[in-house]
Amino acid sequence: MKKLKFPVVLLLVLLSFFTVCNAAETDINSARNEKTDLVAGHSIFVAGGISHIATEVDMDYLHSGEPRIGGNVQVGYEWISSKKIGVGFLYDGYFTGFTMCVPVSGGYSAAFPKGWWGLHYFAPQFVGRITLRSDKWMLNYGVGAGLFMSYECLKYEGKPLAKNYDYGIGLNGSFGVEFRLSKAIGLTAGLTLLEGYVDQEYYGETLSSSMLRVNLDLGLKCHF
């Protein structure tokens, strides 16, 4: 019996070792799956903040206001695979207001119509996520190209005086961070660079121009 004692002890040690290893591997796989669940899947988001047009903007007869600074809104959808990359769709809107001078013979009138300027961008994009050590934090990025639209409206005493639409193409790149409140909800902060190329018509002449915008946004993302 004494000869059998050492092999039995060795067998029990090996069995215990494999049991511990199997439990550890299960925990690791469980953690990986849990982290993958936090990364992969569908999500929708909405964000808002401030935007600045970095390029020069020529606006005739401007009386007050700064057309190059305005509010920004983003709405989008994303699908991320287990490889941490995927596709999505982005809407980005820029809105600002100002007042204009009305030229008349001999100078300018005392009436100052209110103007509104909106830049709208619709684009599919490639998106991805970068996991960090903490499951609470995650980095996001996106690159896309799509339709760029400029809309100008001028009103005086509530009555429309003029409207103008211009269309072109745009490119976008974004990078941000997300803090997960739960598996389904996250708070986001991001930086977006967006450049639009638009053909504008002035007095029958078509002019091509480009506008580079920089957005700083805070938002909410829902995962499902």
Side-chain angles (χ1 to χ4, degrees), residues 163-174:
K163 292 183 180 180
N164 184 59
Y165 293 89
D166 296 301
Y167 300 90
I169 60 173
L171 303 171
N172 74 282
S174 61

Side-chain angles (χ1 to χ4, degrees), residues 3-217:
K3 292 182 180 180
L4 295 176
K5 188 175 182 180
F6 177 75
V8 170
V9 171
L10 179 61
L11 181 62
L12 291 175
V13 171
L14 291 176
L15 183 60
S16 300
F17 175 75
F18 284 119
T19 302
V20 171
C21 289
N22 184 63
E25 184 178 0
T26 301
D27 290 340
I28 292 173
N29 290 334
S30 177
R32 286 177 178 173
N33 291 335
E34 184 178 354
K35 200 150 192 175
T36 300
D37 289 341
L38 290 175
V39 175
H42 304 268
S43 63
I44 55 175
F45 63 88
V46 59
I50 188 170
S51 182
H52 172 62
I53 299 178
T55 50
E56 185 178 354
V57 174
D58 293 326
M59 191 164 286
D60 297 331
Y61 314 121
L62 180 66
H63 175 256
S64 66
E66 176 50 81
R68 297 196 306 161
I69 298 178
N72 184 74
V73 175
Q74 288 187 347
V75 179
Y77 161 80
E78 294 178 350
W79 171 78
I80 300 291
S81 70
S82 58
K83 302 295 184 180
K84 302 179 185 178
I85 58 174
V87 294
F89 186 83
L90 172 69
Y91 164 75
D92 184 287
Y94 171 81
F95 307 92
T96 188
F98 47 85
T99 58
M100 305 287 290
C101 297
V102 178
V104 295
S105 58
Y108 296 95
S109 72
F112 299 112
K114 293 183 179 181
W116 286 269
W117 188 22
L119 300 175
H120 304 280
Y121 178 66
F122 306 86
Q125 59 176 356
F126 293 102
V127 294
R129 293 175 187 161
I130 302 173
T131 55
L132 301 177
R133 289 187 177 182
S134 173
D135 292 341
K136 292 289 186 179
W137 295 92
M138 194 170 298
L139 302 179
N140 303 284
Y141 61 90
V143 178
L147 173 66
F148 188 86
M149 183 180 75
S150 174
Y151 167 69
E152 298 171 64
C153 177
L154 200 62
K155 292 184 178 182
Y156 179 65
E157 294 182 347
K159 298 180 180 180
L161 295 179
K163 292 183 180 180
N164 184 59
Y165 293 89
D166 296 301
Y167 300 90
I169 60 173
L171 303 171
N172 74 282
S174 61
F175 187 81
V177 62
E178 178 182 357
F179 176 73
R180 298 293 279 269
L181 297 175
S182 67
K183 185 177 179 180
I185 302 294
L187 298 178
T188 63
L191 171 69
T192 303
L193 298 179
L194 198 157
E195 186 164 16
Y197 302 88
V198 180
D199 290 334
Q200 297 176 303
E201 292 188 5
Y202 289 99
Y203 304 104
E205 183 180 359
T206 301
L207 302 175
S208 297
S209 61
S210 65
M211 287 176 282
L212 176 64
R213 278 200 296 120
V214 182
N215 302 337
L216 291 174
D217 297 300

